[in-house]
Amino acid sequence: MSAGHAGEAPVSGRTAVVTGAGSGIGRAVAAELLRAGWTVVLAGRRTGPLEETAALVPGADAPTVRADVSDPDDVAALFTAVRDRFGRLDLLFNNAGTFGPGGVPVEDLSYEAWRHVVDTNLNGAFLCAQAAYRQMKEQDPRGGRIINNGSVSAHAPRPHSVAYTATKHAMTGLTKSLALDGRAYGIAVGQIDIGNAATDMTDGMRTGALQANGAVVPEPVMDVADVARTVRHMAELPLEANVQFATVLATAMPYVGRG
């Protein structure tokens, strides 16, 4: 990345927040950014896994903050801590999320389970984006970037995934609206839709995943590091350029052509 673009700070002076940084995609993206010289604030519900992520890149600047993104007070405290310590925020990777109870038919899904998924995936994403937006709008130099973690489910659902799919479709609306409103303040907002990255959350896909025709078949997965590199590319663009939507998926997974 060149440091010569207007509005672009050197990577070594850039600060990012990664939510859900204690595992999976969040951990991989945080480690990729840390290796590239970013300061990365690792946010998540459990301190232990966050510290394990930080230890992946010894010597890097990777403070940890325990935060439940569905709790407005936790989110406010997270971004206040970032502002107080670093003075600015260049990137939010809005990643924290949950599948919720997998494989539950619509008629059997409890309201509590629905609410948990919505609170985490949608309300949490909004709260973090709002807090980041406020700081990016007011800081000097003004601006920054927000990357929302969508899903292939933002385009096409899996069977029995109504809560997860609904929130990921909503994430697309959140991304578009934030991108529009952020133009005046140099805030670039994009979304990465990911399919079958190899993480603990997707472990079962390799042994068998329910298909639209009722069959259960193994599905290909891809290395989560390939996702992390894509997020880093999006993050390190100058603010005059934006990847609005990117879809990164295992090449042979069921998606295009519905199979």
Side-chain angles (χ1 to χ4, degrees), residues 5 26 51 54 120 128 156 179 195 227:
H5 295 284
E51 292 174 346
T120 303
C128 290
V227 175

Side-chain angles (χ1 to χ4, degrees), residues 24 37 43 67 82 114 122 130 173 193 211 239-241:
V82 172
W114 165 271
L122 180 56
Q130 183 185 55
D193 295 329
Q211 307 298 305
L239 290 179
E240 311 91 80

Side-chain angles (χ1 to χ4, degrees), residues 197-215:
T199 67
D200 290 342
M201 283 181 71
T202 60
D203 218 26
M205 292 178 182
R206 282 177 276 195
T207 55
L210 180 63
Q211 307 298 305
N213 64 0

Side-chain angles (χ1 to χ4, degrees), residues 137-227:
K137 178 181 175 181
E138 299 301 327
Q139 63 193 7
D140 184 22
R142 191 164 67 178
R145 190 179 306 274
I146 298 169
I147 301 174
N148 291 324
N149 187 351
S151 170
V152 166
S153 292
H155 306 271
R158 288 186 177 276
H160 305 325
S161 66
V162 64
Y164 182 78
T165 298
T167 58
K168 292 306 183 179
H169 274 70
M171 184 74 87
T172 299
L174 181 69
T175 297
K176 290 180 177 180
S177 189
L178 288 169
L180 179 60
D181 292 345
R183 287 178 182 173
Y185 308 110
I187 301 171
V189 185
Q191 179 171 318
I192 183 166
D193 295 329
I194 302 164
N196 288 18
T199 67
D200 290 342
M201 283 181 71
T202 60
D203 218 26
M205 292 178 182
R206 282 177 276 195
T207 55
L210 180 63
Q211 307 298 305
N213 64 0
V216 177
V217 298
E219 293 188 11
V221 297
M222 63 177 167
D223 192 332
V224 71
D226 294 320
V227 175

Side-chain angles (χ1 to χ4, degrees), residues 19-252:
T19 65
S23 63
I25 292 166
R27 171 173 284 180
V29 168
E32 178 74 17
L33 293 173
L34 287 167
R35 293 187 189 104
W38 288 72
T39 293
V40 182
V41 179
L42 309 174
R45 292 181 294 110
R46 295 177 297 147
T47 302
L50 297 176
E51 292 174 346
E52 292 171 6
T53 298
L56 294 174
V57 188
D61 195 356
T64 63
V65 178
R66 197 215 67 79
D68 179 346
V69 298
S70 68
D71 184 328
D73 292 336
D74 276 13
V75 172
L78 165 63
F79 286 89
T80 296
V82 172
R83 185 181 64 250
D84 289 349
R85 177 164 176 176
F86 300 107
R88 69 174 290 108
L89 174 63
D90 299 287
L91 172 69
L92 164 65
F93 181 45
N94 221 352
N95 166 73
T98 179
F99 281 143
V104 177
V106 174
E107 64 272 22
D108 296 328
L109 184 69
S110 70
Y111 176 72
E112 290 74 18
W114 165 271
R115 181 63 183 267
H116 173 66
V117 177
V118 172
D119 280 346
T120 303
N121 294 4
L122 180 56
N123 294 342
F126 164 73
L127 289 169
C128 290
Q130 183 185 55
Y133 186 103
R134 286 169 172 164
Q135 183 167 344
M136 291 171 178
K137 178 181 175 181
E138 299 301 327
Q139 63 193 7
D140 184 22
R142 191 164 67 178
R145 190 179 306 274
I146 298 169
I147 301 174
N148 291 324
N149 187 351
S151 170
V152 166
S153 292
H155 306 271
R158 288 186 177 276
H160 305 325
S161 66
V162 64
Y164 182 78
T165 298
T167 58
K168 292 306 183 179
H169 274 70
M171 184 74 87
T172 299
L174 181 69
T175 297
K176 290 180 177 180
S177 189
L178 288 169
L180 179 60
D181 292 345
R183 287 178 182 173
Y185 308 110
I187 301 171
V189 185
Q191 179 171 318
I192 183 166
D193 295 329
I194 302 164
N196 288 18
T199 67
D200 290 342
M201 283 181 71
T202 60
D203 218 26
M205 292 178 182
R206 282 177 276 195
T207 55
L210 180 63
Q211 307 298 305
N213 64 0
V216 177
V217 298
E219 293 188 11
V221 297
M222 63 177 167
D223 192 332
V224 71
D226 294 320
V227 175
R229 283 191 289 270
T230 304
V231 174
R232 178 186 166 194
H233 167 70
M234 296 168 70
E236 292 184 350
L237 287 171
L239 290 179
E240 311 91 80
N242 186 39
V243 175
Q244 185 70 76
F245 291 97
T247 302
V248 183
L249 70 168
T251 303

